[in-house]
Amino acid sequence: MPSRSAPTATQVEEPDSMPGLQFNEPLSWRAGKPIALADLLRRLQALSKEMQNMNQEEEIRDSFAKVAKDLVNPNLLAHKDKGVRALTASCLVDTLRLCAPDAPYTGVQLRDIFNMIITQILPALADPAHAYNNQHLYVLESLAQVKSILLLTDIPSAETLLKNVFKICFDVLSDTSKNSQVDELQKRVSINMTSLLLCLVDEGAALPPEVVDIIVAQFLRTDPNALGGSSTKSKKNGVVDERQSTLVLKQLPPAYNMAKVICNSCPDTMARYFSQYFNDVIVDASNSKAKHSGKGKKRHSDGIEDSDDEPTGPTEEDLQELRKVHRLLRELWRACPGVLQNVIPQLEAELSAENIQLRLLATETLGDIVSGIGAAGLPPPPTLDPSAYPSNALSDPSENTVSLNLLTKPSSPQPFPSAHPQAYSNYLGRKQDKSPLIRAAWTAGIGRVLTTSAGGAGLSQQEEDRLVSELNRMLGDVDDKVRIAAVKVIASFPFRDMVSKLGRPGGVMEKGSLFATLAERIRDKKHSVRVEGMTVLARIWGVAVGEMAAGNEQVRDLFGGIPSKILDTYYTNDIEITELLDRVFFEQLLPLNFPPVKAKKSASGNSQGTKRSQVTADGDEEAVDPDKIRTERILLLVKDLDDRAKKVFFALQSRQMMLSKVMGAYLDRCAEYNGGVMDANESQIKEHLSRLIKTYAGMLPNPSQATADLWKFTKNNDRRSYQLVRFCMSPDSDYRTIVKALKEIIKRMGEVNATSLLDTLMPLLYRVSLIVYNKSHVPAIMGFSRTDDKSLSATAHEVLREISSKTPEVLKAHVQEICKLLQDEAPSAKKANDASAVDNLKACASFAAKYPKEIPQDRKFVQAMTSYALHGSPPEAAKYALSVIWAASEKKEMVARELSHKCIKGFEYGGEGFLSRLATLSQLVLLAPTEIDDMSTDSILDIAIKQVLLSTQEPSNEPPEAYEWSPTMDLEVQAKCWALKILVNRVRSHPLPETLAEVASPVYTLLSQLIEQYGEVSKANETPPAHKSRLRLLAARLYLKLCKSKAHDALLAPSAFNALSTVAQDPVKQVRAGFLQRLKKYLLQPRLPQRFYTIPFLLAFEPSGTLRSDTTTWIKSRAATLSSTRPAGSGGKASIVMESTFARLLSLLAHHPDYVNDTDDLTEFSRYIIFFLQNVATEDNLSLIYHIAQRVKQCRDAVAAHSGSDKSRTSDVTATTETDERLYQLSDLAQITIRKYEDVHNWTIQTLPGRARLPSSLFTEIRSHAEAQRIAERNHLPEGVEAGVEGLLKATLKASRTNKKRKSEGGDHQTDGGRDSKKAKTSLPVRKASGANGVSKEKRGPSRNVVKTARPKKSISKTQAKDEASGERRRSGRVKEVEKNYVERDSDDDDEEMEMQDAITAEEEAGTESDTDAGAYASAVEEISEADEVDEITAPELSKPVLKATPTKAPTKAIVSPQAKAKPKAVTSPKAKTKANTRQIRTRVSSRGKGRAKAQGSDDELSEPPDSE
């Protein structure tokens, strides 16, 4: 070991007997007489060579005395020649080596020696081309290996030299631009410099703080912020020079590696230095007191002194320093975690700091440390690109490739949770931090821990599941910042990790799973969260669709339900969500640029006909058809949609047709506006433009901005943009044309810097463009329908049916191909047609109805259609084939006569093609009634009635009351359905109005019989139960179809209408749903009279949550739409269609078969009224509804008189008032309910002038003034009803508000499949509750056949009623019982999601703005016609409020007449008799009936009835 000091003088004896240094030439000179440079270099080289060959021996040390003295001469140490200095240094280090341990120099001389070596020799190693690099390297190796460098620590005031040696060594290695060319030299330099510095750290004295700073700074060489050249005045930044900006971040810098080796070789020593270093920064800033910094600077916070009550946070300069230090901690953990053993507790203490910024830094730092993330950060996260093709697959090796940038590759030398368990536990506790910023940072941190598997150290399965669960919990955090952070974290996961890690708890449809919670965020109350949630969810599906197309069931189970969740948001009726849905749909789910493969144009210019070839992973060349790829994605999306989402998907495409008409009108007006220069009709053009712009602006979240943008677009008068929009809407445009048009629009908007205008236009362009139902997709859809490739045949058929019915125009380019295919596959008596033919025939029929000249007229095609009409299978094929013939054939009359004879001749039930013949006959009597002679007509009727309807091929052995649903239809029920259609179509096509009633009467009677007798058509009651439900549903639908015509509707008596309305309360859910679906469809067109709006309000007791929710939303949407219309001839007044329906509803309830005159039943009847008010009533129209309720009490019932069941009214007024009494009770009940509803909402009912008109078909005047006065003054309700209504109303509204706040995604499904299964036991009409024995009317089927005669009902006392509380009789009780009973029911029945937007509402609103559409729409919305009214007084105006009405208070004890005291008489019809005796029948249900109909009301029962009409 070298000595720490040297003697001041050395007496040298030259023993002659001992060998020593042989060099004896002078190396020093006097001033003015220097040695020649060549001689000096020669001498030094000789000396150096001799000394290098000498070994360290005690005997020869004295021979170096003279040379040692000469070598420290300033002439040599400061010589201007590099060679002299290099050789001198080489000789000096040999002198130190040979003379060790006692250096032959004084402290001053040692200082000069090391100063020359450090400042001249070591920096020269940075130049690999230096001529004396061998000498430089020899000096370095000698200092490191002999450890002569330790003499540096014995020099007085050597801190500067120590600092310089560390600084220069690190700087030499940092210059990679030169050293990279000589790897061997760089390696030797790096090794020896590392040994040199390691010797100083490990064996030397304490390092000064400046040296520690230099070592620490090397770890910031991976920090991009430091490499960018920070200009702060911090002392630490001084060591990072500009050359670091050229560092290639693909390898660790040599200086970094040297510092890493030093720290890892001396962990305990460096831990003490680092602890002190970080304590100076972290603790000072954490305590925010005036502490000593690196330069002795005091820290203050804006000059405010610290106090105990108000702790002062760190200054901005402190925070900048802290951020850099915390980045350094990340890198130190990656490089040398051992040196942080004393720093981690300090960092852990920061987690509890009062200052949010300090806690935030500590949380972020610990999260990155656990994840093994250094100062360079993470590599760029994997991009979820939904437009990539091929889509990101799990087997894609590129996703698992290690990042080439070693600086950003997460790496943790040891698992942090096991190395520092307490710090890790405290870090996990930050999930409950009071600050959302901390929780958001913590959420991002655990996301990185999961993606990196704790920096590659690995996580146990239990710990991984725990972190996924915590991430799931943060998705539901109360603060939107945290929820957004959680959503972004999920988006940062590679797709493989999404499946293997995040998907382990379940997929998007699995309640409670992470992806299910993510799906809930698309309904978040904060729009920013909704945007992030929906975008990320759609991107995930866009990436996963490739795996789903490849048949990966695991991925499909996880992500297949994403489109359903996204499309289901359409029901929220939120404009912002609807706009977001449009953007996500066409930018993420079905991005316009998918797939990024261009199709080559053919010679004819058709871009759709020629395919490109693409090299696959196996090296094979594969043809790529972008249209087929895109179509496959569309079909995969539709395939996994649930029923609700599928309705939205098809509604979005249907919306395109309506909005494109409005857009066309808008573009026409823009052209006429001509930038503000108009020749004529200026006011009309501006007015129409204003209405159109208002319509479109109302569809966007910011109407005022949208209005300004659309006016700007109008005034720009950009004719090219007008044409581009027309390209987007045109059915003749292929997909590529539409995409190009949209891109050019975006480019043109960008050129004029119209960002706001583009944001307004894009959602509208998405809505009007033919993107999905595009003609480019039709060939691929047809191909999938024929081949069933990837099991998409059924979905392709469904989409093709929608295209043919909604936009047949897009089939124009392919109709010839479809017709040729149909012609080639035409059936015969021995050959059946292909199953896909029915969809092609339907598409062809829809197209022929619009473009008959485009259909082939040749004989072969007509013969093929005739073959389908006679032998087509299923029978719908025959129906569509005849429609094609009738629309396109020039000889259709002759073909019709020929077909009628062939169908009739030799008809045999069960014979070959008998169903096809029935279907053809049903279309013939509808389309060609005049071509069928009387004899043929009689034969057709004989076939339909005697051979089919009245014939039971397989009599049922089930009890007469058996009534059930079957998912399939056997041949017999299909034949009866077609027979019924024959009869109804004959009525529909009857050409003579004067004989219409005669022809229609027996058909109406038959339909009413089927409805009232629950589908029983056989006199022997032997119709199979599954046939009954089908026939009853069909009869109700055929009634609706008939009533679309005003002449046919006039033939439907009010009593028959009342019976028809009970189908909405059928025991079987599929019947109810099928009937309501058709009813709502016709009302939307609108094709039905307004009285049919009454029927949906009978769903107040609907047990199916989904059906009730959908109907409720539909009613609200219709009410909003109708109230916004101004019918022609109304003088600008709003439509009151929905409000006026209330009178019809009361009349319908008065004739309801479940009506019972007692307190409990009347209280529950108020549910119908509450249901009406919840969906229709507003503060503006409540007065009108109340007025209508009052008017009902001023009239008598006219339904019974018209039906002939109340013949004694004219002779004895008081003897025939049963239905009148019911009306008056319901009027009083409605008034009470409305007043309570008013009080709950703090509204005001105002008295209206005049009297509202009531339908004369339902109500008639009270001719006696005294009788009218008596009725008006009397309270017709039993005692206790008002209290029951009040409790019921509060419970219902409370349950409704609670369920809306829940915003449950799976509420409907859970209701239908879980809790709703209990409600399925409810007797139907659905409002009846099940009794204690659990028996329901639905289980036992219709009760009408159990007891044929009515028996007088016994009066029930209050005591008896209490005893029967556990029986079948339902009680409402008083207020407490109401709350107990009804809250349970309503929490299921009213479990609605957010309020739904009707799929057609926007279309209708837009349609009213078009000149061509406004008149048709207004005329179709019927007000109460004058011919159907009692009074000539106009409807009261809501715009003239007067004093508040003073309601007549009910007396304490009601004045009840003898007639009112008596129980209601049995209804005269057999069906009504059994309904009135429901309670007596309930105990007689057979056990067979109980078991058979157990789940008839359940949502997950059987499929919906097919629409075969």
Side-chain angles (χ1 to χ4, degrees), residues 949 952 960 962-964 973 976 980 1006-1019 1021-1036 1063 1066-1067 1071 1342 1344-1345 1471:
L949 270 178
T952 304
Y963 185 78
E964 62 187 31
V973 71
K976 289 183 177 181
L980 268 179
L1006 175 61
L1007 295 178
S1008 295
Q1009 178 185 348
L1010 288 172
I1011 290 173
E1012 294 173 3
Q1013 295 184 6
Y1014 279 72
E1016 182 59 73
V1017 71
S1018 171
K1019 294 182 179 179
N1021 292 332
E1022 55 188 12
T1023 303
H1027 293 188
K1028 295 178 185 179
S1029 58
R1030 293 282 183 176
L1031 291 174
R1032 190 176 196 230
L1033 173 60
L1034 179 60
V1063 180
D1066 192 273
V1071 176
R1344 52 190 168 40
N1345 293 321
K1471 176 62 186 170

Side-chain angles (χ1 to χ4, degrees), residues 1385-1404:
R1385 292 174 58 86
D1386 283 354
S1387 65
D1388 292 333
D1389 288 342
D1390 293 339
D1391 191 11
E1392 303 170 2
E1393 299 179 36
M1394 302 170 75
E1395 186 176 333
M1396 167 189 172
Q1397 176 184 1
D1398 180 73
I1400 315 297
T1401 300
E1403 305 166 16
E1404 293 178 341

Side-chain angles (χ1 to χ4, degrees), residues 793-980:
S793 176
T795 306
H797 281 303
E798 188 175 10
V799 174
L800 193 61
R801 285 196 298 269
E802 288 291 326
I803 292 177
S804 63
S805 60
K806 300 297 190 304
T807 55
E809 297 87 351
V810 301
L811 300 175
K812 185 178 295 186
H814 311 283
V815 69
Q816 296 295 331
E817 179 185 353
I818 296 175
C819 293
K820 182 66 169 59
L821 182 64
L822 289 172
Q823 182 176 320
D824 295 340
E825 298 179 354
S828 63
K830 298 181 180 180
K831 171 191 170 185
N833 58 272
D834 187 79
S836 63
V838 65
D839 294 317
N840 293 334
L841 282 167
K842 183 177 181 181
C844 201
S846 301
F847 184 82
K850 265 195 167 184
Y851 308 100
K853 294 183 180 180
E854 300 289 336
I855 301 296
Q857 304 288 336
D858 58 283
R859 184 182 172 203
K860 288 185 178 180
F861 181 73
V862 176
Q863 286 180 344
M865 294 296 103
T866 304
S867 298
Y868 279 107
L870 294 175
H871 308 289
S873 177
E876 285 79 7
K879 168 188 170 182
Y880 297 134
L882 186 60
S883 299
V884 173
I885 294 173
W886 192 257
S889 178
E890 296 177 352
K891 300 178 180 180
K892 55 186 175 183
E893 295 83 0
M894 182 185 69
V895 176
R897 286 192 294 269
E898 180 183 352
L899 279 174
S900 65
H901 291 302
K902 287 183 178 181
C903 291
I904 296 170
K905 184 179 180 180
F907 179 87
E908 181 182 357
Y909 185 92
E912 188 276 326
F914 81 104
L915 287 179
S916 299
R917 295 188 182 190
L918 289 174
T920 301
L921 289 174
S922 71
Q923 284 298 97
L924 282 172
V925 298
L926 177 66
L927 301 177
T930 58
E931 307 304 324
I932 303 175
D933 54 38
D934 294 340
M935 184 177 298
S936 298
T937 300
D938 294 340
S939 299
I940 293 173
L941 294 178
D942 180 75
I943 291 173
I945 298 174
K946 293 183 180 181
Q947 298 187 44
V948 180
L949 270 178
L950 300 182
S951 173
T952 304
Q953 303 299 319
E954 297 181 3
S956 172
N957 296 324
E958 298 286 341
E961 68 272 10
Y963 185 78
E964 62 187 31
W965 180 265
S966 174
T968 58
M969 298 172 64
D970 57 28
L971 295 179
E972 182 178 355
V973 71
Q974 288 187 59
K976 289 183 177 181
C977 288
W978 286 113
L980 268 179

Side-chain angles (χ1 to χ4, degrees), residues 59 67 104 138 324 387 423-424 612 641 647 767 822 836 990 1043 1070 1075 1092 1165 1253 1257 1312 1316 1320 1454 1484:
E59 294 79 4
V67 172
Y138 180 78
K324 185 175 73 173
S387 62
Y424 181 68
R612 271 192 84 162
L641 294 178
K647 291 178 183 177
R767 296 175 188 181
L822 289 172
S836 63
H990 188 71
C1043 291
Q1070 285 80 3
F1075 173 66
F1092 284 89
F1165 251 66
R1253 303 171 180 176
S1257 59
D1312 299 336
D1316 204 39
R1484 306 185 182 189

